[in-house]
Amino acid sequence: MRVLFYGTPAFALPTLRALLARHTVVAVVTQPDRPAGRGRQPRASPVKELARSYDLPVVQPERLRDPGWAERLRVFEPEVAVVAAFGQILPRGVLEVPARGSINVHASLLPRYRGAAPVAWAIIRGERETGITTFMMDEGMDTGPILLQRAVAIGPEETAGELAARLADLGAMLLLETLEGLPTLSPTPQAHEAATLAPRLRKEDGLLDWTHPAVELVARVRGLNPWPGAQTQSPTGRLLVWRARALEGSGEPGVLTAVGPTLAVGAGAGLLEPVEVQPENRRAMAWETFLRGARLRPGAAFGAPIRAR
Protein backbone atom coordinates (compact mmCIF):
# COMPACT_ATOMS: atom_id res chain seq x y z
CA MET A 1 0.00 0.00 0.00
CA ARG A 2 1.29 3.53 -0.78
CA VAL A 3 1.49 5.29 2.60
CA LEU A 4 2.01 8.97 3.45
CA PHE A 5 3.46 9.04 6.99
CA TYR A 6 3.12 11.83 9.56
CA GLY A 7 5.20 11.72 12.75
CA THR A 8 7.79 13.62 14.77
CA PRO A 9 9.17 12.18 18.08
CA ALA A 10 10.74 8.83 18.94
CA PHE A 11 7.30 7.39 19.72
CA ALA A 12 6.60 7.35 15.96
CA LEU A 13 9.75 5.44 14.96
CA PRO A 14 8.51 1.83 15.48
CA THR A 15 5.43 2.58 13.38
CA LEU A 16 7.50 4.09 10.57
CA ARG A 17 9.92 1.13 10.64
CA ALA A 18 7.00 -1.32 10.50
CA LEU A 19 5.57 0.49 7.48
CA LEU A 20 8.92 0.48 5.71
CA ALA A 21 9.10 -3.29 6.14
CA ARG A 22 5.62 -4.05 4.77
CA HIS A 23 4.47 -1.11 2.62
CA THR A 24 5.67 1.68 0.33
CA VAL A 25 6.20 4.92 2.25
CA VAL A 26 5.90 7.61 -0.43
CA ALA A 27 6.87 10.56 1.81
CA VAL A 28 7.31 11.57 5.45
CA VAL A 29 5.73 14.70 6.94
CA THR A 30 7.32 15.94 10.18
CA GLN A 31 7.62 19.13 12.20
CA PRO A 32 10.22 21.74 11.15
CA ASP A 33 13.69 21.56 12.75
CA ARG A 34 13.61 23.25 16.18
CA PRO A 35 16.41 24.90 18.23
CA ALA A 36 17.80 22.48 20.81
CA GLY A 37 20.76 22.00 23.15
CA ARG A 38 23.06 24.58 24.71
CA GLY A 39 23.82 26.20 21.36
CA ARG A 40 20.13 26.32 20.37
CA GLN A 41 21.02 25.04 16.91
CA PRO A 42 18.20 23.67 14.69
CA ARG A 43 17.77 19.95 15.29
CA ALA A 44 15.95 17.46 13.04
CA SER A 45 13.19 15.32 14.57
CA PRO A 46 13.85 11.60 15.17
CA VAL A 47 11.41 10.80 12.34
CA LYS A 48 13.27 13.07 9.93
CA GLU A 49 16.57 11.39 10.80
CA LEU A 50 15.10 7.94 10.10
CA ALA A 51 13.50 9.13 6.84
CA ARG A 52 16.84 10.52 5.67
CA SER A 53 18.53 7.17 6.28
CA TYR A 54 16.03 5.62 3.82
CA ASP A 55 16.31 8.52 1.32
CA LEU A 56 12.60 9.23 1.68
CA PRO A 57 11.10 12.56 0.62
CA VAL A 58 10.65 14.73 3.75
CA VAL A 59 8.07 17.51 4.06
CA GLN A 60 8.17 19.96 7.00
CA PRO A 61 5.16 22.31 7.05
CA GLU A 62 5.05 25.04 9.70
CA ARG A 63 1.24 24.97 9.50
CA LEU A 64 -0.72 22.42 7.47
CA ARG A 65 -3.70 24.79 7.65
CA ASP A 66 -1.90 27.22 5.34
CA PRO A 67 -3.28 27.18 1.75
CA GLY A 68 -1.79 24.83 -0.80
CA TRP A 69 -0.64 21.95 1.40
CA ALA A 70 -3.27 19.49 0.19
CA GLU A 71 -2.11 20.01 -3.40
CA ARG A 72 1.58 19.62 -2.46
CA LEU A 73 0.88 16.32 -0.68
CA ARG A 74 -1.38 14.97 -3.41
CA VAL A 75 1.58 14.70 -5.83
CA PHE A 76 2.82 11.69 -3.79
CA GLU A 77 -0.39 9.80 -4.71
CA PRO A 78 -0.84 8.05 -1.34
CA GLU A 79 -3.56 5.41 -0.88
CA VAL A 80 -3.65 5.98 2.88
CA ALA A 81 -2.06 8.31 5.46
CA VAL A 82 -0.76 7.13 8.84
CA VAL A 83 -0.31 9.61 11.70
CA ALA A 84 1.71 8.83 14.85
CA ALA A 85 2.39 11.74 17.26
CA PHE A 86 2.79 14.29 14.46
CA GLY A 87 2.03 17.43 16.50
CA GLN A 88 -0.51 19.26 14.33
CA ILE A 89 -4.21 18.75 13.63
CA LEU A 90 -4.79 17.87 9.96
CA PRO A 91 -7.36 20.09 8.20
CA ARG A 92 -10.14 18.60 6.05
CA GLY A 93 -8.37 19.18 2.71
CA VAL A 94 -5.24 17.35 3.89
CA LEU A 95 -7.27 14.51 5.41
CA GLU A 96 -8.94 13.96 2.06
CA VAL A 97 -5.67 13.60 0.11
CA PRO A 98 -5.41 9.76 0.48
CA ALA A 99 -8.19 7.86 -1.27
CA ARG A 100 -8.61 5.44 1.68
CA GLY A 101 -8.45 8.08 4.41
CA SER A 102 -6.08 8.95 7.26
CA ILE A 103 -5.44 6.63 10.23
CA ASN A 104 -4.11 7.78 13.61
CA VAL A 105 -2.09 5.65 16.07
CA HIS A 106 -2.97 7.10 19.50
CA ALA A 107 -1.47 6.10 22.87
CA SER A 108 -4.66 5.77 24.90
CA LEU A 109 -7.93 3.89 25.04
CA LEU A 110 -10.06 6.49 23.31
CA PRO A 111 -12.26 8.32 24.05
CA ARG A 112 -10.22 8.69 27.25
CA TYR A 113 -7.14 10.93 27.17
CA ARG A 114 -7.61 12.75 23.90
CA GLY A 115 -4.79 15.20 23.22
CA ALA A 116 -1.03 15.65 23.11
CA ALA A 117 0.14 13.90 26.32
CA PRO A 118 -2.06 10.82 26.93
CA VAL A 119 0.71 8.66 28.46
CA ALA A 120 1.79 11.21 31.04
CA TRP A 121 -1.72 12.13 32.16
CA ALA A 122 -2.83 8.50 32.44
CA ILE A 123 -0.03 7.92 34.97
CA ILE A 124 -0.52 11.24 36.79
CA ARG A 125 -4.21 10.48 37.27
CA GLY A 126 -3.52 7.06 38.72
CA GLU A 127 -4.82 4.84 35.91
CA ARG A 128 -3.99 1.13 36.14
CA GLU A 129 -4.58 0.51 32.42
CA THR A 130 -4.05 2.29 29.12
CA GLY A 131 -3.43 1.15 25.54
CA ILE A 132 -3.31 1.93 21.84
CA THR A 133 -6.16 2.96 19.56
CA THR A 134 -6.16 3.17 15.78
CA PHE A 135 -8.94 5.32 14.34
CA MET A 136 -10.08 7.03 11.15
CA MET A 137 -9.24 10.71 11.50
CA ASP A 138 -11.76 13.52 11.16
CA GLU A 139 -11.34 17.25 11.74
CA GLY A 140 -11.65 16.99 15.52
CA MET A 141 -8.93 16.27 18.07
CA ASP A 142 -8.84 12.45 18.34
CA THR A 143 -12.62 12.20 17.76
CA GLY A 144 -12.81 9.85 14.75
CA PRO A 145 -14.35 6.36 14.71
CA ILE A 146 -12.27 3.56 16.23
CA LEU A 147 -10.76 0.77 14.12
CA LEU A 148 -8.84 -1.34 16.68
CA GLN A 149 -7.81 -1.08 20.35
CA ARG A 150 -5.38 -3.00 22.60
CA ALA A 151 -5.16 -2.49 26.37
CA VAL A 152 -2.05 -2.87 28.56
CA ALA A 153 -1.54 -2.65 32.31
CA ILE A 154 0.53 0.24 33.66
CA GLY A 155 3.38 -0.95 35.88
CA PRO A 156 3.23 0.33 39.48
CA GLU A 157 6.61 2.05 39.16
CA GLU A 158 6.60 2.68 35.40
CA THR A 159 7.53 6.14 34.16
CA ALA A 160 5.96 7.92 31.19
CA GLY A 161 9.10 7.35 29.13
CA GLU A 162 9.15 3.63 29.85
CA LEU A 163 5.44 3.23 29.16
CA ALA A 164 5.62 5.27 25.95
CA ALA A 165 8.36 2.98 24.63
CA ARG A 166 6.17 -0.09 25.25
CA LEU A 167 3.15 1.57 23.65
CA ALA A 168 5.18 2.66 20.62
CA ASP A 169 6.02 -0.98 19.83
CA LEU A 170 2.42 -2.04 20.41
CA GLY A 171 1.21 0.79 18.18
CA ALA A 172 3.40 -0.40 15.32
CA MET A 173 1.95 -3.92 15.50
CA LEU A 174 -1.63 -2.67 15.79
CA LEU A 175 -1.16 -0.34 12.83
CA LEU A 176 -0.03 -3.21 10.60
CA GLU A 177 -3.02 -5.25 11.77
CA THR A 178 -5.27 -2.29 11.02
CA LEU A 179 -3.97 -1.84 7.47
CA GLU A 180 -4.28 -5.57 6.78
CA GLY A 181 -7.88 -5.58 7.95
CA LEU A 182 -8.85 -2.23 6.50
CA PRO A 183 -11.13 -3.65 3.78
CA THR A 184 -13.31 -5.43 6.35
CA LEU A 185 -12.99 -3.36 9.54
CA SER A 186 -16.09 -1.44 10.61
CA PRO A 187 -15.15 1.87 12.29
CA THR A 188 -17.02 2.32 15.59
CA PRO A 189 -18.09 5.84 16.66
CA GLN A 190 -16.57 6.99 19.95
CA ALA A 191 -18.70 7.51 23.07
CA HIS A 192 -18.00 11.24 23.16
CA GLU A 193 -19.76 11.68 26.52
CA ALA A 194 -17.02 9.53 28.12
CA ALA A 195 -14.14 11.58 26.69
CA THR A 196 -11.35 13.01 28.87
CA LEU A 197 -8.52 15.32 27.83
CA ALA A 198 -4.73 15.02 28.01
CA PRO A 199 -3.41 18.52 27.24
CA ARG A 200 0.17 19.31 26.25
CA LEU A 201 2.51 19.33 29.28
CA ARG A 202 3.94 22.59 30.62
CA LYS A 203 7.01 23.02 32.82
CA GLU A 204 4.78 24.32 35.64
CA ASP A 205 2.96 20.95 35.69
CA GLY A 206 6.10 19.61 37.35
CA LEU A 207 5.91 21.77 40.49
CA LEU A 208 5.25 19.51 43.49
CA ASP A 209 2.54 20.73 45.88
CA TRP A 210 3.39 19.05 49.19
CA THR A 211 -0.16 19.48 50.52
CA HIS A 212 -1.26 16.71 48.13
CA PRO A 213 -1.18 13.03 49.21
CA ALA A 214 2.13 11.26 48.73
CA VAL A 215 0.63 8.67 46.35
CA GLU A 216 -0.53 11.49 44.05
CA LEU A 217 2.88 13.14 44.16
CA VAL A 218 4.61 9.86 43.26
CA ALA A 219 2.24 9.45 40.31
CA ARG A 220 3.16 12.96 39.17
CA VAL A 221 6.88 12.17 39.47
CA ARG A 222 6.42 9.07 37.27
CA GLY A 223 4.16 10.83 34.76
CA LEU A 224 6.58 13.75 34.25
CA ASN A 225 9.66 11.56 33.71
CA PRO A 226 11.39 12.23 31.29
CA TRP A 227 9.80 15.65 30.61
CA PRO A 228 9.44 18.17 32.16
CA GLY A 229 10.42 16.44 35.42
CA ALA A 230 8.86 16.94 38.84
CA GLN A 231 10.60 19.65 40.82
CA THR A 232 10.64 21.40 44.16
CA GLN A 233 12.68 24.03 45.94
CA SER A 234 15.10 22.40 48.40
CA PRO A 235 17.13 24.23 51.09
CA THR A 236 20.10 24.08 48.66
CA GLY A 237 18.24 25.12 45.50
CA ARG A 238 16.02 23.72 42.78
CA LEU A 239 15.70 19.93 42.89
CA LEU A 240 14.33 17.61 40.20
CA VAL A 241 12.77 14.40 41.53
CA TRP A 242 13.03 11.61 38.95
CA ARG A 243 11.87 8.64 41.04
CA ALA A 244 10.13 8.40 44.39
CA ARG A 245 8.02 6.12 46.58
CA ALA A 246 5.15 6.77 48.98
CA LEU A 247 5.55 5.73 52.62
CA GLU A 248 3.09 5.37 55.44
CA GLY A 249 3.40 7.86 58.27
CA SER A 250 2.79 11.53 58.74
CA GLY A 251 4.68 14.77 58.76
CA GLU A 252 4.20 18.46 58.09
CA PRO A 253 3.81 18.97 54.31
CA GLY A 254 7.14 19.82 52.71
CA VAL A 255 9.22 19.16 55.86
CA LEU A 256 11.91 16.49 56.18
CA THR A 257 10.96 13.75 58.64
CA ALA A 258 13.08 10.91 59.96
CA VAL A 259 11.93 7.46 58.78
CA GLY A 260 14.19 4.78 60.21
CA PRO A 261 17.71 5.35 58.85
CA THR A 262 16.64 7.85 56.15
CA LEU A 263 14.60 11.02 55.66
CA ALA A 264 11.35 11.54 53.79
CA VAL A 265 9.27 14.61 52.96
CA GLY A 266 5.89 15.17 54.61
CA ALA A 267 2.86 15.33 52.29
CA GLY A 268 -0.86 16.01 52.64
CA ALA A 269 -1.25 12.32 53.47
CA GLY A 270 1.70 9.99 54.03
CA LEU A 271 5.34 10.68 53.28
CA LEU A 272 7.30 10.85 50.03
CA GLU A 273 10.76 9.34 49.86
CA PRO A 274 12.68 10.49 46.79
CA VAL A 275 14.71 7.70 45.20
CA GLU A 276 16.58 9.56 42.45
CA VAL A 277 17.04 13.33 42.39
CA GLN A 278 19.00 15.91 40.41
CA PRO A 279 20.15 19.22 41.93
CA GLU A 280 20.29 22.15 39.52
CA ASN A 281 23.32 22.02 37.16
CA ARG A 282 24.41 18.62 38.52
CA ARG A 283 23.97 15.00 37.51
CA ALA A 284 21.18 12.77 38.76
CA MET A 285 22.00 10.92 41.99
CA ALA A 286 20.53 8.72 44.70
CA TRP A 287 18.53 10.50 47.41
CA GLU A 288 20.95 9.31 50.09
CA THR A 289 23.89 10.79 48.16
CA PHE A 290 22.09 14.11 47.90
CA LEU A 291 21.27 14.12 51.62
CA ARG A 292 24.91 13.49 52.56
CA GLY A 293 26.16 16.27 50.31
CA ALA A 294 23.50 18.78 51.32
CA ARG A 295 23.86 17.90 55.04
CA LEU A 296 20.12 18.19 55.59
CA ARG A 297 18.47 17.29 58.88
CA PRO A 298 14.87 16.63 60.01
CA GLY A 299 12.90 19.86 59.95
CA ALA A 300 14.42 21.18 56.70
CA ALA A 301 11.70 22.64 54.47
CA PHE A 302 11.00 21.88 50.81
CA GLY A 303 8.62 23.55 48.42
CA ALA A 304 9.07 27.29 48.82
CA PRO A 305 7.55 29.01 45.77
CA ILE A 306 9.75 28.77 42.68
CA ARG A 307 9.13 30.18 39.25
CA ALA A 308 8.82 27.66 36.44
CA ARG A 309 11.25 28.26 33.55
Side-chain angles (χ1 to χ4, degrees):
M1 197 176 298
R2 293 175 59 83
V3 181
L4 178 62
F5 182 78
Y6 296 76
T8 299
F11 176 85
L13 295 179
T15 298
L16 178 54
R17 290 194 182 100
L19 287 169
L20 289 165
R22 296 277 191 90
H23 297 275
T24 301
V25 179
V26 295
V28 167
V29 187
T30 189
Q31 295 277 31
D33 298 358
R34 304 294 190 197
R38 289 183 179 274
R40 306 302 294 164
Q41 295 298 311
R43 180 178 296 174
S45 73
V47 164
K48 181 179 179 180
E49 294 289 357
L50 180 59
R52 279 174 167 172
S53 70
Y54 281 84
D55 292 326
L56 296 172
V58 175
V59 181
Q60 294 182 276
E62 192 69 46
R63 277 171 39 93
L64 273 175
R65 292 188 178 280
D66 291 341
W69 274 109
E71 289 71 21
R72 293 184 216 181
L73 295 173
R74 192 167 284 117
V75 301
F76 296 110
E77 300 180 343
E79 295 175 74
V80 67
V82 171
V83 181
F86 171 54
Q88 295 185 37
I89 292 178
L90 276 55
R92 177 187 290 273
V94 171
L95 288 171
E96 292 176 345
V97 167
R100 304 181 73 171
S102 301
I103 298 171
N104 195 302
V105 181
H106 190 73
S108 83
L109 297 175
L110 291 173
R112 295 180 61 76
Y113 296 100
R114 293 173 175 171
V119 178
W121 286 110
I123 293 176
I124 292 170
R125 292 172 184 161
E127 300 287 354
R128 302 277 183 88
E129 182 184 77
T130 185
I132 288 288
T133 301
T134 57
F135 65 95
M136 297 300 304
M137 297 180 68
D138 59 18
E139 291 181 89
M141 185 179 68
D142 305 328
T143 54
I146 292 170
L147 294 165
L148 291 176
Q149 280 188 327
R150 291 289 184 276
V152 297
I154 300 176
E157 297 182 359
E158 201 167 28
T159 67
E162 293 162 348
L163 178 56
R166 276 205 300 138
L167 292 173
D169 291 337
L170 177 62
M173 291 187 290
L174 196 65
L175 185 276
L176 291 181
E177 188 178 341
T178 301
L179 291 180
E180 186 176 343
L182 200 56
T184 57
L185 286 174
S186 298
T188 304
Q190 295 188 35
H192 299 297
E193 67 279 6
T196 59
L197 298 180
R200 189 178 303 279
L201 292 173
R202 307 164 300 167
K203 286 191 175 181
E204 48 266 42
D205 291 319
L207 300 178
L208 292 173
D209 182 344
W210 295 103
T211 65
H212 288 197
V215 291
E216 292 184 10
L217 296 177
V218 170
R220 184 165 290 268
V221 169
R222 292 167 48 218
L224 299 179
N225 180 348
W227 197 90
Q231 61 176 294
T232 187
Q233 186 72 17
S234 81
T236 59
R238 186 187 301 266
L239 188 71
L240 286 162
V241 182
W242 290 118
R243 295 182 187 272
R245 63 173 67 96
L247 303 178
E248 294 183 354
S250 63
E252 185 178 349
V255 176
L256 272 185
T257 301
V259 182
T262 188
L263 297 173
V265 186
L271 301 165
L272 181 139
E273 181 189 14
V275 173
E276 183 182 17
V277 298
Q278 184 173 4
E280 192 167 19
N281 299 321
R282 297 182 63 185
R283 61 178 174 79
M285 62 184 69
W287 172 239
E288 299 299 336
T289 303
F290 168 74
L291 287 177
R292 283 196 298 273
R295 300 181 179 179
L296 299 182
R297 298 289 184 270
F302 285 66
I306 53 179
R307 188 174 59 188
R309 296 179 175 178

